[in-house]
Amino acid sequence: MGVLYGPKSYENEPHRDPSLIVNSKEPFNAETPPKALVRSFVTPEDLFYKRNHGPIPVIDDPNNYRLEICGLVPGPLSLSLQDLRNLPKHTVTATLQCAGNRRTAMSKVRKVKGVGWAISALGNAVWGGARLHDVLELAGVRQESSKRHVEFSSVDVCKEENGGPYKGSIPLSQAMSPEAEVILAYEMNGKELNRDHGFPLRVVVPGVIGARSVKWLTEIKVIEEECQGFFMQKDFKMFPPTVDWDNINWNSRRPLMDFPVQCPICSPAEGDLVKAGSKMKIQGYAVSGGGRGIERVDVSVDGGKTWQEAQRFQDDKEYIADNPEKCKRFAWVLWELTVELTNSPLEVVAKAVDAAANIQPEDVSSIWNLRGVLNTSWHRVRLNVVPPQSKL
Amino acid sequence: MGVLYGPKSYENEPHRDPSLIVNSKEPFNAETPPKALVRSFVTPEDLFYKRNHGPIPVIDDPNNYRLEICGLVPGPLSLSLQDLRNLPKHTVTATLQCAGNRRTAMSKVRKVKGVGWAISALGNAVWGGARLHDVLELAGVRQESSKRHVEFSSVDVCKEENGGPYKGSIPLSQAMSPEAEVILAYEMNGKELNRDHGFPLRVVVPGVIGARSVKWLTEIKVIEEECQGFFMQKDFKMFPPTVDWDNINWNSRRPLMDFPVQCPICSPAEGDLVKAGSKMKIQGYAVSGGGRGIERVDVSVDGGKTWQEAQRFQDDKEYIADNPEKCKRFAWVLWELTVELTNSPLEVVAKAVDAAANIQPEDVSSIWNLRGVLNTSWHRVRLNVVPPQSKL
Ligand SMILES: [Mo]
Ligand SMILES: [Mo]
C-alpha cells in the first residue's frame, strides 16, 4: 500500500483558499481573483488556478512512490522520489495557462463547450525538479530527430477517459532539448508541491498550454507517435469558426502546444466606478508561448482610438527582455500604466506584441472555436466615470 | 591578392534573370514575379529575391578566402573554404524573407521608409554548409546561457554604415543550439552559392528575418552584447503606429529576429479577368518564423464573409506537419484552393494560423510602422468577373 492512486469520490479533497473564484466544485476548478493576480510576479500556490478532471489523487506514503520510465527506451527505469531529488535540480519560472482561459468571453459570441473561465485561468510559479532530459538520458535515450513523443500519465480518474487517467505527450525533440527546460517538478515556489498541483510529482512544460503539464505523474513512456488520449486527440485542438459539432473532424487538426500572445486587464474591472480628474493605475499581465517574450503592451482608454505604451516588469522593476541572464522567457510580464481621467466615457483596451511581432486579434469572433480555446482577443473593460466631487 | 572585397562601383555585377521585378538597380534589389514563386516548393536561385546594400563583392581566387572566428572565443581561428567543407555538411530547407516584404501595401496607409517590395521579397531554398555551432566549438566555445551574441560581418560597402560592411548578430544560445540549424552556407539548392546570394560564404539563420543571414561573410565574432551596427540598432525594429520620425527612440525597441505568420495570394493577381461559371485555382504561400509550422490557411472569395480551408503542401503532395522527419519546419508551405465562380463580385482574401495559433491582423493600419516592416495583414485581391461567354 501507499502508492499514489486516484480516488473515486471527493471525500479527500485538500483545503482551498476561500477567495478563489470557483467554476466547478467536483471536479474542483477555480481561478484567482484578477486583482490578486497582478499583486505579485510569482503567484502564491493557494491562489494559483486549479484545473482538475476528477478527485485529487492520494498517496499514503510518499516513500512508496515510483515513477516508471518505459516504452521505446534502451533501459527502462523505476525511480523513487529520492532518486529524482538526487539528480541535479533545475528551477524554471514558468507561467502555466489553461487553453480555455477567457473562454467565457468567447461563449458570448456563440455557445462553446468547457469550463467557464474568466481571465485568471493561469499563474506564474517557480518550479523546481529534475530535468526531463536527464531522466530520459538515464534510461539511455539519445537526442534524435524523429516523430516520437514522450507520453505522461497521471493516476487521476477522468470521465473523459472513461475512468482512466489523464494523459498527454510532447515531441521527443522538445523533451530532450535543454533550452525547452521541461522538468519533473517536486517543488512549487520553493516549497514541496501540494496536492492540488500534482503532489508528489508533475511535469512542467514551459511555454505550452497547461494541459500538457501532467500532474500526479506516474509513468513516462517514449512512444512512436503522439499520445492517442482524449485530451490530445479530441479536446485541445483549435478549429476555425466554420467547424461545429455537426461537421467536426478531429483528425484534421493537431493538438495544441505553445500558445499565442495574451494580454488581459486585471485592474480596474468591468463596471468599476472611477472619478473624473483622478489618477488611475491600470494593471494586467501579458504572456506568449514558446519562450517568446513580450515586446510591447499598448493600452487605450478611449476604446482603441489612441494608445500609450505600458511599463512591463518581471521580478525586477524593469523587464530586461534582451538579457537572458535576467529575463524569464517562459514567464509572463506584469504591466502597468497610470492615466489621468477626464470625464469622457472610459473604455480601457489592452493588447500586446510578442518577441516575434505576433499580435492579438481585435475581435473574438474571428477566432471563435467550438471548444472555446485560446481566446486572445483584445481585452476591453468599460468603466463608469463619476464627477470629481462624488463619494465612491 | 584574391581576397574577398566590396567594390566601390557597380561595374562588376553578376548577370540577372530578366523576369525579376526590379525595385532598385544600384544597389540591386529585385523580387520574383508572384506567379513564378508558387510554381515550385524550392525557389530557383536566379528567381530568388535579391537584397543588397552596395555593389556585389568580388573574389579573384576563392583559395585565398579566409573566415576569421574571433572575439570572446578561447581559440581564435582562421578557416579556408576547404576547412569549412571538411566539417560535416548540414542541409536545411529554409525560407528567407525580407522584413520589408509587402511594404508597398503598408505605405498606402501612410508613407514608410524602405525598398518598395510587393509580395515576393522571399524565397525558399535548400542551403548546404557547415553548422555554426561546429565552427564555434572548434574555436573552443561551449553552450552557455548568457547575453552574448555572435556577430557576422560582410565585406560589402554600405552607405548606411558610412562605407563600412553590413553586420548583424544573433544570440549565442541560438548559434549554439543544434535545433536552430544555423549554418554557414556554401551551397544553395545543391549548387555552389552564387555571387548575388553571398559567394563564397553566407550565414543562414532559419526562421529569422533575412537581414540576419549575412552574405559574403568574412568574420564571426563572439561579443558581450548584441551588435551595435546600423541594421541591428537603427533599422530593423518594429515600432507602434504612434511612433514617427519626430518622436522615435531607437533604444526603446529590440532588433527584429523571428517573424510572425504571413500568407499572401500569388495567383490570381489584382485585377485579373475571370469568367463566371469557370473554375479558378487560387495559390499562395504561408510561412511563420521560429520554426513554427502552418496549422491552417483560410481563403475567402467574398471579401471575408465566408471561408474555406486551402490545401497545404511542401515538397510532397501533403504537408506532413506533425512528422518532423518529413516536415520542413523552417520552410514555407505552398497552398491552393480551387473554387467555382459565380457572377458575384470576387474579392479573394487569405489568412493563415501558425502552429502556436498565432493569427494575422485583418487591417494593416493596426501594425503600420515607420520602417514598413512585417506587414502580415490579411492579403486581398480583387478580380473582375466577366460573363461566361466572354473571350479573355
Ligand atoms: Mo487547460
Ligand atoms: Mo531585409
Side-chain angles (χ1 to χ4, degrees):
Chain A
M1 281 306 290
V3 292
L4 184 67
Y5 69 97
K8 294 215 158 56
S9 84
Y10 288 92
E11 283 160 22
N12 206 350
E13 296 286 283
H15 170 79
R16 273 92 179 216
D17 191 289
S19 74
L20 287 170
I21 301 164
V22 178
N23 291 317
S24 119
K25 275 191 169 163
E26 295 181 352
F28 190 74
N29 288 305
E31 67 189 291
T32 323
K35 291 181 187 183
L37 204 56
V38 288
R39 239 177 254 141
S40 57
F41 174 65
V42 172
T43 313
E45 311 82 75
D46 51 353
L47 293 180
F48 202 98
Y49 82 108
K50 322 288 178 202
R51 175 73 181 106
N52 299 300
H53 294 87
I56 305 300
V58 172
I59 188 164
D60 298 321
D61 183 358
N63 291 320
N64 291 336
Y65 170 84
R66 309 299 293 184
L67 172 69
E68 308 298 328
I69 324 294
C70 58
L72 305 168
V73 300
L77 288 175
S78 174
L79 301 175
S80 69
L81 280 177
Q82 195 53 52
D83 293 335
L84 289 159
R85 286 181 183 274
N86 289 343
L87 290 170
K89 181 172 155 185
H90 185 70
T91 62
V92 58
T93 306
T95 299
L96 292 186
Q97 180 179 216
C98 179
N101 192 25
R102 301 183 62 204
R103 177 179 286 132
T104 301
M106 190 172 275
S107 69
K108 283 176 186 162
V109 172
R110 196 150 37 111
K111 202 188 154 204
V112 298
K113 193 184 133 189
V115 179
W117 299 111
I119 63 172
S120 303
L122 90 170
N124 185 54
V126 183
W127 308 96
R131 286 186 184 86
L132 176 58
H133 76 86
D134 284 346
V135 170
L136 291 172
E137 277 171 12
L138 267 187
V141 180
R142 294 287 161 263
Q143 186 156 2
E144 51 182 328
S145 171
S146 75
K147 58 182 180 176
R148 289 188 178 173
H149 264 231
V150 179
E151 180 179 76
F152 309 117
S153 298
S154 182
V155 293
D156 55 349
V157 175
C158 302
K159 59 179 181 311
E160 295 89 340
E161 289 284 11
N162 300 313
Y166 190 96
K167 284 180 187 182
S169 74
I170 62 170
L172 178 58
S173 56
Q174 184 176 12
M176 293 301 288
S177 161
E179 304 238 309
E181 296 187 64
V182 183
I183 64 168
L184 305 177
Y186 45 74
E187 275 184 17
M188 181 180 186
N189 297 342
K191 293 162 215 145
E192 187 172 66
L193 196 64
N194 69 31
R195 287 182 59 213
D196 260 338
H197 294 290
F199 178 78
L201 195 75
R202 74 173 301 170
V203 190
V204 172
V205 188
V208 163
I209 61 163
R212 313 306 176 208
S213 287
V214 175
K215 299 192 278 189
W216 315 292
L217 184 70
T218 53
E219 190 186 273
I220 294 177
K221 192 173 184 176
V222 178
I223 54 180
E224 205 55 80
E225 293 196 342
E226 65 190 27
C227 164
Q228 294 301 307
F230 178 88
F231 299 98
M232 286 288 283
Q233 298 303 330
K234 306 221 159 166
D235 194 6
F236 294 113
K237 293 186 172 183
M238 194 169 83
F239 288 86
T242 48
V243 172
D244 217 327
W245 298 105
D246 53 356
N247 63 351
I248 192 167
N249 170 10
W250 285 103
N251 292 334
S252 68
R253 302 265 73 96
R254 287 185 289 167
L256 291 175
M257 291 289 168
D258 66 302
F259 53 82
V261 54
Q262 174 72 291
C263 181
I265 301 152
C266 294
S267 178
E270 179 80 19
D272 278 1
L273 293 178
V274 290
K275 253 188 218 185
S278 69
K279 282 190 176 175
M280 176 176 71
K281 191 195 269 189
I282 308 170
Q283 292 173 281
Y285 65 82
V287 62
S288 191
R292 293 180 293 282
I294 298 297
E295 171 64 15
R296 208 174 81 220
V297 173
D298 298 329
V299 177
S300 171
V301 292
D302 55 12
K305 285 198 264 301
T306 62
W307 299 89
Q308 291 178 72
E309 189 175 345
Q311 200 196 342
R312 292 157 292 151
F313 56 96
Q314 288 193 326
D315 44 2
D316 295 308
K317 284 220 178 63
E318 221 185 323
Y319 172 49
I320 305 164
D322 53 359
N323 183 341
E325 283 159 350
K326 299 210 170 174
C327 169
K328 315 268 192 265
R329 66 193 190 101
F330 291 115
W332 65 15
V333 298
L334 298 182
W335 54 262
E336 59 179 58
L337 178 73
T338 300
V339 293
E340 207 143 340
L341 302 179
T342 64
N343 50 18
S344 312
L346 264 184
E347 184 180 357
V348 184
V349 195
K351 62 183 169 81
V353 177
D354 77 11
N358 290 300
I359 51 82
Q360 301 174 240
E362 181 169 347
D363 185 19
V364 64
S365 64
S366 68
I367 52 164
W368 182 93
N369 61 85
L370 75 173
R371 274 295 282 113
V373 291
L374 302 184
N375 179 8
T376 55
S377 59
W378 294 7
H379 190 219
R380 291 171 187 271
V381 165
R382 276 146 296 244
L383 304 174
N384 295 313
V385 188
V386 295
Q389 58 277 24
S390 313
K391 281 192 180 150
L392 291 189
Chain B
M1 281 307 290
V3 293
L4 185 66
Y5 68 98
K8 295 217 158 56
S9 84
Y10 289 91
E11 282 162 23
N12 207 349
E13 295 286 284
H15 171 79
R16 273 93 180 215
D17 191 291
S19 74
L20 288 170
I21 301 165
V22 178
N23 291 317
S24 118
K25 275 192 171 162
E26 296 181 352
F28 189 75
N29 288 304
E31 66 188 290
T32 324
K35 291 181 187 183
L37 204 55
V38 287
R39 238 178 254 142
S40 57
F41 173 65
V42 171
T43 313
E45 312 81 74
D46 52 350
L47 292 179
F48 201 99
Y49 82 109
K50 322 287 177 202
R51 175 72 180 108
N52 299 299
H53 294 85
I56 304 300
V58 172
I59 188 165
D60 297 320
D61 184 357
N63 291 320
N64 292 335
Y65 170 83
R66 309 298 294 186
L67 172 69
E68 308 298 327
I69 324 294
C70 59
L72 305 168
V73 301
L77 289 174
S78 174
L79 300 176
S80 69
L81 280 176
Q82 195 53 52
D83 294 335
L84 289 159
R85 287 180 183 273
N86 288 344
L87 289 169
K89 180 172 155 185
H90 184 71
T91 62
V92 59
T93 306
T95 299
L96 292 186
Q97 180 179 216
C98 179
N101 192 24
R102 300 183 62 205
R103 177 178 286 133
T104 301
M106 189 172 275
S107 69
K108 284 177 186 162
V109 172
R110 199 155 28 117
K111 203 188 153 202
V112 297
K113 194 184 133 190
V115 178
W117 299 111
I119 62 172
S120 303
L122 90 170
N124 184 54
V126 182
W127 307 97
R131 288 186 183 85
L132 176 58
H133 76 84
D134 284 347
V135 170
L136 290 172
E137 277 170 12
L138 266 188
V141 180
R142 294 288 160 261
Q143 186 157 2
E144 53 182 325
S145 172
S146 76
K147 59 181 180 176
R148 289 188 178 172
H149 264 231
V150 179
E151 180 179 77
F152 309 117
S153 298
S154 181
V155 292
D156 56 349
V157 175
C158 302
K159 59 178 181 313
E160 295 89 340
E161 290 282 13
N162 299 314
Y166 189 97
K167 285 180 187 183
S169 73
I170 62 170
L172 178 58
S173 56
Q174 184 176 13
M176 293 300 287
S177 162
E179 304 238 311
E181 296 186 64
V182 183
I183 65 167
L184 306 178
Y186 45 75
E187 276 183 16
M188 180 180 186
N189 297 342
K191 294 163 213 143
E192 186 172 69
L193 195 64
N194 69 31
R195 286 182 61 213
D196 260 338
H197 295 290
F199 178 79
L201 195 76
R202 74 173 301 170
V203 190
V204 172
V205 188
V208 163
I209 61 163
R212 312 307 175 207
S213 287
V214 175
K215 300 190 278 189
W216 315 293
L217 184 70
T218 53
E219 190 186 271
I220 295 176
K221 193 174 185 175
V222 178
I223 54 180
E224 205 55 80
E225 293 196 342
E226 66 190 28
C227 164
Q228 295 301 306
F230 178 86
F231 298 98
M232 286 289 283
Q233 298 302 331
K234 307 222 158 164
D235 193 8
F236 293 113
K237 293 186 172 184
M238 194 171 82
F239 288 86
T242 50
V243 172
D244 217 327
W245 298 105
D246 52 357
N247 64 351
I248 192 167
N249 171 9
W250 285 104
N251 292 334
S252 67
R253 302 265 75 96
R254 288 185 288 169
L256 291 176
M257 291 289 168
D258 66 300
F259 53 83
V261 53
Q262 174 73 289
C263 180
I265 301 152
C266 294
S267 179
E270 178 79 21
D272 278 2
L273 292 179
V274 291
K275 252 187 217 186
S278 68
K279 282 189 176 176
M280 175 176 70
K281 191 194 269 189
I282 308 171
Q283 292 172 282
Y285 66 83
V287 63
S288 191
R292 293 181 293 282
I294 297 298
E295 171 63 16
R296 206 173 83 219
V297 173
D298 297 329
V299 178
S300 171
V301 292
D302 56 12
K305 284 198 263 304
T306 62
W307 298 89
Q308 290 178 72
E309 189 176 344
Q311 200 195 343
R312 291 156 294 151
F313 57 96
Q314 287 193 327
D315 44 1
D316 295 309
K317 285 221 176 61
E318 222 185 322
Y319 173 49
I320 306 166
D322 53 1
N323 183 341
E325 283 160 349
K326 298 210 171 174
C327 167
K328 315 267 191 267
R329 65 193 190 100
F330 291 115
W332 64 17
V333 298
L334 298 182
W335 55 263
E336 59 178 59
L337 177 73
T338 299
V339 293
E340 209 142 341
L341 301 179
T342 64
N343 50 17
S344 313
L346 264 185
E347 184 179 356
V348 185
V349 195
K351 61 184 168 82
V353 177
D354 78 10
N358 290 300
I359 51 81
Q360 300 174 241
E362 181 169 348
D363 185 19
V364 64
S365 64
S366 67
I367 51 164
W368 182 93
N369 61 85
L370 75 175
R371 274 294 284 113
V373 291
L374 301 183
N375 179 9
T376 56
S377 58
W378 296 6
H379 190 219
R380 291 171 186 272
V381 165
R382 276 147 297 245
L383 304 174
N384 294 314
V385 189
V386 296
Q389 59 277 25
S390 311
K391 281 194 179 150
L392 291 188

